[in-house]
Amino acid sequence: MAKPINLNRARKERARKQAREQADRNAVLHGLTKAEKKRARDEALRESKLHEQGRLDPDDTGKD
């Protein structure tokens, strides 16, 4: 005789497995390593500083 199974438990296990698989796929598609995140942050900071350097002060319009 086959061992009876709890259908609710089987359904939840199947849902958990699908969620884990989806999370793994998302990690591959969207995940970045710690070094890549740091490099992106550093690059954004560098670009921000360069942008600020080119900004004109409102008091420094050249009019006397």
Side-chain angles (χ1 to χ4, degrees):
M1 182 186 254
K3 181 179 176 185
I5 61 169
N6 184 329
L7 295 178
N8 285 332
R9 185 175 296 167
R11 178 182 48 84
K12 288 179 182 180
E13 286 176 11
R14 185 172 47 246
R16 279 190 217 106
K17 181 181 175 188
Q18 289 174 347
R20 276 193 302 270
E21 290 172 354
Q22 182 65 41
D24 291 341
R25 284 192 294 269
N26 287 343
V28 169
L29 292 175
H30 304 291
L32 296 176
T33 64
K34 189 173 186 179
E36 290 170 332
K37 288 178 188 176
K38 183 182 181 321
R39 186 181 50 200
R41 259 193 321 269
D42 291 345
E43 180 66 20
L45 180 62
R46 187 184 73 78
E47 289 176 2
S48 175
K49 286 182 180 179
L50 284 174
H51 181 70
E52 288 293 323
Q53 288 174 355
R55 212 173 263 240
L56 296 176
D57 290 333
D59 298 334
D60 190 23
T61 57
K63 296 179 183 176
D64 286 327

